[in-house]
Amino acid sequence: MALYTLPELPYDYAALAPVISPEIIELHHDKHHAAYVKGANDTLEQLAEARDKESWGSINGLEKNLAFHLSGHILHSIYWHNMTGDGGGEPLAADGVGDLADALTESFGSFAAFKAQLTKASATTQGSGWGVLAYEPLSGRLIVEQIYDHQGNVGQGSTPILVFDAWEHAFYLQYRNQKVDFIDAMWQVVNWQDVARRYGAAKERGDSLLLAP
């Protein structure tokens, strides 16, 4: 039985235009994200077969495949909700996201400094990858991370709360090879309400995930 399913989009294909075209949203969600869901489920079946047969010759590849597809599924599931056609701007206390705004200032010095770091991290990820704002529970701070493909360069206990997809399939049909232009445009559709909810949830449960202070 499949453990993972493709979530529905929280808006229609045209909701993020003109920043992201309807064609990209449809292909990205219905084809690419769906492929990660299928890949995760297929790999779990292959691992079950390996256990049944006690055949471990392909274990390294299977574990890598599971991490790749499962991380792709998780990151995309966050990505869709991190965006809204009514988004953008800066998180403000007046909009009910003051805790997030304060955390960004405390962790990065200012919103502008945070925005510059996440923009650069996203735009300069080598090859395919992501720029991520994550809650790091050991320090209680927010950090920016680079993810290559769907893994790597991350603190093990960190929880992603805002993700910028820098894979070519996220922008190439519209922005061609101008990844920097796409990342700059992404700031116009950030759903700060969603990011703030994720920050609150991660902060609330973060300490319980750690084995040691």
Side-chain angles (χ1 to χ4, degrees), residues 126-141:
Q126 293 177 331
S128 299
W130 300 71
V132 173
L133 172 68
Y135 176 75
E136 196 285 289
L138 195 62
S139 65
R141 294 173 62 86

Side-chain angles (χ1 to χ4, degrees), residues 166-180:
W167 284 62
E168 284 191 347
H169 65 236
F171 63 88
Y172 197 84
L173 287 176
Q174 186 173 356
Y175 292 85
R176 297 297 186 258
N177 64 335
Q178 300 302 312
K179 179 161 61 175
V180 173

Side-chain angles (χ1 to χ4, degrees), residues 42-204:
D42 287 350
T43 306
L44 286 175
E45 290 183 5
Q46 293 163 15
L47 283 165
E49 182 179 353
R51 290 193 299 273
D52 290 341
K53 295 181 178 179
E54 296 187 4
S55 176
W56 303 111
S58 60
I59 185 65
N60 287 344
L62 289 175
E63 294 290 359
K64 185 176 181 180
N65 283 344
L66 180 60
F68 174 82
H69 290 296
L70 180 54
S71 294
H73 173 37
I74 291 170
L75 288 167
H76 281 92
S77 296
I78 297 170
Y79 180 66
W80 305 125
H81 287 274
N82 272 171
M83 298 183 291
T84 175
D86 299 323
E90 181 176 343
L92 301 171
D95 297 325
V97 293
D99 286 348
L100 172 64
D102 290 344
L104 289 170
T105 299
E106 181 178 353
S107 297
F108 299 98
S110 67
F111 175 78
F114 151 68
K115 182 178 178 180
Q117 185 175 343
L118 182 56
T119 296
K120 290 297 184 182
S122 303
T124 60
T125 301
Q126 293 177 331
S128 299
W130 300 71
V132 173
L133 172 68
Y135 176 75
E136 196 285 289
L138 195 62
S139 65
R141 294 173 62 86
L142 293 172
I143 60 175
V144 165
E145 301 176 321
Q146 279 184 324
I147 297 180
Y148 301 111
D149 289 338
H150 296 317
Q151 308 165 61
N153 264 25
V154 298
Q156 292 302 303
S158 62
T159 300
I161 64 173
L162 173 63
V163 299
F164 280 9
D165 192 342
W167 284 62
E168 284 191 347
H169 65 236
F171 63 88
Y172 197 84
L173 287 176
Q174 186 173 356
Y175 292 85
R176 297 297 186 258
N177 64 335
Q178 300 302 312
K179 179 161 61 175
V180 173
D181 291 346
F182 171 65
I183 299 302
D184 284 340
M186 274 290 300
W187 292 101
Q188 300 175 42
V189 294
V190 173
N191 184 348
W192 292 117
Q193 296 293 330
D194 181 69
V195 179
R197 285 192 293 270
R198 294 179 187 278
Y199 169 65
K203 186 177 179 181
E204 182 177 345

